[in-house]
Amino acid sequence: MTSIERVIRFRRYQDIGFQVLGASLTVIALLVLGALVLDLAKTGLGRLSWSFLASFPSRKAEQAGIASAIVGSFYVMVVTAFTAIPLGVAAGVYLEEYSRRNWFTAVIEINIANLAGVPSIVYGLMALSLFVYTFGLGESILAGGLTLALLILPIVIVATREALRSIPQHIREAAYAMGATRWQVVRYHLLPYSTGGIATGVIIALSRAIGETAPLITIGALTFIAFLPPTPFSPRPEEDGGGLYGPFEWLDSGFTVLPIQMFNWVSRPGDAFLANAAAAGIVLIVATLGLNALAIVVRNRMRRRIRW
Amino acid sequence: MVTAGLGTMDRPGAEQVEVREAALREAWSAWPGVASGRHVPPPIKADVRSLSFWYGKVQAVKNVSIPIADRRVTALIGPSGCGKTTLLRCFNRMHDLYRNTRYEGQIVLHPSGTDIIDRGVNPIEMRMRIGMVFQKPNPFPKSIFENVAFGLRMKGFRGRSEIADRVEAAIRAAALWDEVSDRLRKPAYDLSGGQQQRLCIARALATEPEMVLFDEPTSALDPVATARIEELVQSLKERVTVLIVTHNMQQAGRVSDFTAFMYLGEMVEFDRTEKVFQNPGKQLTEQYISGRFG
Ligand SMILES: Nc1ncnc2c1ncn2[C@@H]1O[C@H](COP(=O)(O)OP(=O)(O)OP(=O)(O)O)[C@@H](O)[C@H]1O
Ligand SMILES: [Mg+2]
């Protein structure tokens, strides 16, 4: 056998070996994940019902539900999205399209990269002193939403920059050559062409935020809530002064979220509460997977629409 | 007139314009009909005077002077890397988009007398007055209609029907109307390369610029598409001044009235295209034209 044949044969074995290794590791990872989900489903699926979704937490496991947690998660996400998206996109556009490369922007860039790696509980601590005490927001939905916004801000900034960077320079030049100002190039070209990438990053970031527990517990989110935040323009009870609630009063309300509710149930004795936690976990997983699926759909949509 | 910035000494006086006109007149002198007075040299549209340009420390354009004739086609030829693109991009101040670039000298745009290079002149104004077509077709990922309408919107046009009329006129002027009139709302990227390039020409024409810059507009196209673009460029000179960079000597010969030959950042020869190609005044030009280098 010539040496070349030997080399080729060896490489083929190498190739096959790596394929087998990769495939088996993937299968193992999927099996573990599948087992976890199955276990969760076995424990929790029995508890999942309309009344579970629509009831408040209770001392009796069979009557307890996640209504306040679902609504709380929703409102907190609204605050997070409405603050993190404009701030993060603006910061990303500034860093990518406006700022000059100098030591100052280099420091900012390194910090943003590092912020993405800071443990979430540290954000909770920062938020506790900043939002809850300094700004006096209390343990409110507003404080919770802002905390999570802080947490995902680096992700949104990085996603925005990546999306902008994937737009070829010749498109920018074409727009500038038409006499567009920098703002017009951003507004009429760069942002529309990067919407897909930005939206994907934002959705992934939100799906991370929806599962966060530690920072919210740190700022003092409640674990047992038997009321809903005031819906805008709904009637206010007589003993509270009557009339209608304002559009933003819910921001000031106490809240709990799905993962905190889960945490609370897990820490209680008895299988019944564990089943409740598992059922809430299923809801949380469905929400997360739903967001991720949305991200994939958005990305594919934009990919089909925009080519260079 | 030139806005603030340079001293009055540098403003283009009438006598200086006349000197440049003399260069054009000289270039015209052997043109059939000029001697008998049937033709007169065209006025200068843009007067490049002692223009130098630096990328950081690298000087890419060295003290170049060329008169660009009004509503004629002027070609820039020269070997790769000689600074043709760099010179062209001075006209619409594209270099301002990048750091560490420096201009020196003047490009005086007539009849307004604006010095394009002057710091006090807004590059955005220059880009609205001078259109550009790039080497690679680069339509926006929008509809055919929106591609052409963009410049109009930038210029502040608002009326729907007025924009539609101007878009149609520009697409017709770019000889593309018959091929796209039934799919104006379709993505520009569904067009062929040659059609995309004509769309880019329409985009540049829509705002009725005084001048259009072409940077090797056919280098990414097949011969048939190239022929159409060349035909188009020639027809354009009825309405605008054209400055075109080309690698292709035959193309320069076919489309241009005047030719400037550049070498290593310097302008070696400027003359009537026929003269440059048939009887060049400099040995370097002759060597390049006959394909002995470059
Ligand atoms: N962005 C840049 N930074 C630094 N140097 C540059 C830059 N762009 C071009 N140059 C240099 O400037 C000189 C002129 O380049 P230019 O692109 O104008 O040449 P060209 O005549 O258009 O060449 P070609 O025919 O290959 O397009 C070259 O030496 C090139 O290396
Ligand atoms: Mg070039």
Side-chain angles (χ1 to χ4, degrees):
Chain A
M1 204 163 38
T2 67
S3 71
I4 288 188
E5 276 173 352
R6 213 167 328 125
V7 168
I8 291 178
R9 177 173 294 226
F10 173 71
R11 287 197 188 155
R12 204 167 60 224
Y13 286 147
Q14 222 179 14
D15 225 27
I16 292 173
F18 189 76
Q19 257 179 23
V20 170
L21 185 73
S24 39
L25 287 180
T26 310
V27 168
I28 291 173
L30 284 177
L31 278 181
V32 170
L33 194 67
L36 285 174
V37 172
L38 263 179
D39 189 48
L40 197 69
K42 212 178 75 196
T43 327
L45 220 45
R47 275 297 285 139
L48 219 47
S49 66
W50 179 246
S51 77
F52 179 72
L53 297 179
S55 307
F56 288 116
S58 157
R59 250 174 277 277
K60 299 197 186 83
E62 312 75 47
Q63 287 170 18
I66 54 172
S68 52
I70 288 182
V71 174
S73 274
F74 173 77
Y75 276 129
V76 169
M77 281 304 114
V78 169
V79 174
T80 304
F82 271 86
T83 42
I85 295 173
L87 276 180
V89 171
V93 168
Y94 171 75
L95 286 174
E96 201 57 36
E97 301 295 327
Y98 284 80
S99 75
R100 305 219 141 180
R101 305 268 173 269
N102 54 28
W103 67 268
F104 179 66
T105 49
V107 167
I108 292 182
E109 265 168 47
I110 292 170
N111 270 308
I112 288 172
N114 286 334
L115 278 180
V118 170
S120 59
I121 193 156
V122 176
Y123 279 99
L125 219 54
M126 286 185 340
L128 182 67
S129 81
L130 187 68
F131 299 140
V132 180
Y133 296 140
T134 310
F135 294 170
L137 299 181
E139 291 113 28
S140 60
I141 288 179
L142 182 60
L146 291 179
T147 307
L148 294 186
L150 215 57
L151 184 75
I152 66 168
L153 202 54
I155 309 178
V156 177
I157 294 175
V158 170
T160 303
R161 299 190 63 184
E162 291 294 329
L164 290 173
R165 226 174 286 167
S166 72
I167 299 173
Q169 187 62 15
H170 63 78
I171 294 288
R172 288 184 183 78
E173 288 203 343
Y176 281 118
M178 295 304 301
T181 61
R182 205 184 286 258
W183 165 245
Q184 286 169 326
V185 172
V186 168
R187 164 74 182 75
Y188 296 106
H189 295 281
L190 304 183
L191 282 182
Y193 308 156
S194 57
T195 311
I198 294 175
T200 310
V202 164
I203 295 169
I204 301 277
L206 286 178
S207 84
R208 172 170 171 206
I210 205 173
E212 276 297 341
T213 325
L216 296 182
I217 290 184
T218 315
I219 67 160
L222 304 173
T223 52
F224 186 98
I225 286 215
F227 60 88
L228 294 182
T231 311
F233 308 119
S234 61
R236 188 198 301 271
E238 284 305 328
E239 63 270 23
D240 230 6
L244 295 180
Y245 280 116
F248 296 116
E249 276 184 53
W250 55 274
L251 284 171
D252 209 24
S253 165
F255 69 101
T256 191
V257 292
L258 275 168
I260 293 183
Q261 185 67 69
M262 276 181 72
F263 175 72
N264 174 254
W265 279 331
V266 169
S267 57
R268 290 204 192 185
D271 282 349
F273 278 113
L274 206 59
N276 281 355
I282 293 171
V283 174
L284 197 55
I285 284 187
V286 167
T288 313
L289 290 185
L291 282 174
N292 286 338
L294 184 66
I296 292 171
V297 170
V298 168
R299 193 169 50 206
N300 289 346
R301 259 258 171 86
M302 296 310 281
R303 243 188 227 154
R304 236 177 303 133
R305 274 236 323 264
I306 289 186
R307 278 170 295 152
W308 315 111
Chain B
M1 271 318 289
V2 184
T3 32
L6 295 173
T8 43
M9 297 287 288
D10 291 312
R11 294 192 181 183
E15 72 286 356
Q16 282 167 309
V17 172
E18 235 161 65
V19 172
R20 313 297 303 148
E21 299 263 5
L24 268 179
R25 232 189 321 270
E26 195 185 326
W28 266 70
S29 55
W31 197 291
V34 170
S36 61
R38 278 193 290 119
H39 288 302
V40 285
I44 294 179
K45 179 63 202 175
D47 196 5
V48 184
R49 304 220 246 119
S50 308
L51 183 73
S52 293
F53 180 84
W54 286 264
Y55 292 108
K57 291 197 167 53
V58 181
Q59 185 171 9
V61 174
K62 297 173 185 162
N63 202 25
V64 164
S65 297
I66 312 175
I68 309 290
D70 188 34
R71 272 166 292 162
R72 294 290 188 283
V73 179
T74 302
L76 287 175
I77 62 168
S80 188
C82 70
K84 307 180 293 292
T85 299
T86 308
L87 173 60
L88 194 76
R89 288 162 66 98
C90 290
F91 280 80
N92 60 351
R93 298 267 297 263
M94 282 306 268
H95 299 299
D96 286 35
L97 296 177
Y98 302 95
R99 294 188 73 188
N100 260 328
T101 55
R102 189 159 64 84
Y103 311 82
E104 223 168 69
Q106 290 179 308
I107 302 177
V108 181
L109 198 62
H110 294 294
S112 64
T114 320
D115 175 12
I116 296 174
I117 302 305
D118 192 304
R119 277 185 191 286
V121 169
N122 189 344
I124 289 175
E125 182 202 332
M126 289 344 293
R127 293 174 197 149
M128 283 183 173
R129 289 171 59 180
I130 301 180
M132 183 161 195
V133 177
F134 294 79
Q135 189 163 357
K136 196 173 150 257
N138 57 356
F140 302 126
K142 294 177 185 281
S143 71
I144 293 170
F145 184 91
E146 279 306 319
N147 260 278
V148 183
F150 176 67
L152 296 169
R153 298 194 203 282
M154 292 299 99
K155 259 197 158 174
F157 287 94
R158 285 290 171 266
R160 273 173 152 270
S161 65
E162 185 178 17
I163 289 181
D165 289 348
R166 283 173 183 268
V167 166
E168 176 175 344
I171 297 179
R172 280 189 191 282
L176 187 62
W177 182 254
D178 296 339
E179 289 152 78
V180 303
S181 59
D182 57 340
R183 47 172 171 157
L184 291 175
R185 300 289 166 184
K186 291 274 154 53
Y189 275 78
D190 292 348
L191 298 175
S192 73
Q195 288 172 327
Q196 286 185 19
Q197 192 63 305
R198 275 180 281 147
L199 182 66
C200 292
I201 295 175
R203 181 174 71 187
L205 290 177
T207 52
E208 299 185 345
E210 300 165 36
M211 193 171 166
V212 180
L213 312 168
F214 289 85
D215 189 0
E216 301 191 43
T218 61
S219 64
L221 305 179
D222 66 69
V224 176
T226 297
R228 299 207 60 169
I229 302 272
E230 285 181 8
E231 214 176 292
L232 179 57
V233 167
Q234 280 212 292
S235 74
L236 284 185
K237 67 181 180 188
E238 286 171 14
R239 56 171 87 199
V240 289
T241 303
V242 173
L243 184 57
I244 181 170
V245 168
T246 174
H247 244 127
N248 180 330
M249 232 75 66
Q250 285 80 21
Q251 181 166 79
R254 280 191 298 263
V255 304
S256 70
D257 303 293
F258 296 93
T259 297
F261 170 60
M262 289 181 70
Y263 185 65
L264 297 178
E266 293 182 56
M267 218 275 291
V268 175
E269 183 162 0
F270 167 79
D271 216 318
R272 242 168 12 89
T273 298
E274 270 180 13
K275 173 95 184 337
V276 171
F277 280 90
Q278 286 164 13
N279 185 19
K282 300 265 168 58
Q283 201 185 351
L284 204 57
T285 318
E286 199 271 324
Q287 286 174 341
Y288 180 69
I289 304 277
S290 57
R292 254 171 280 166
F293 76 93

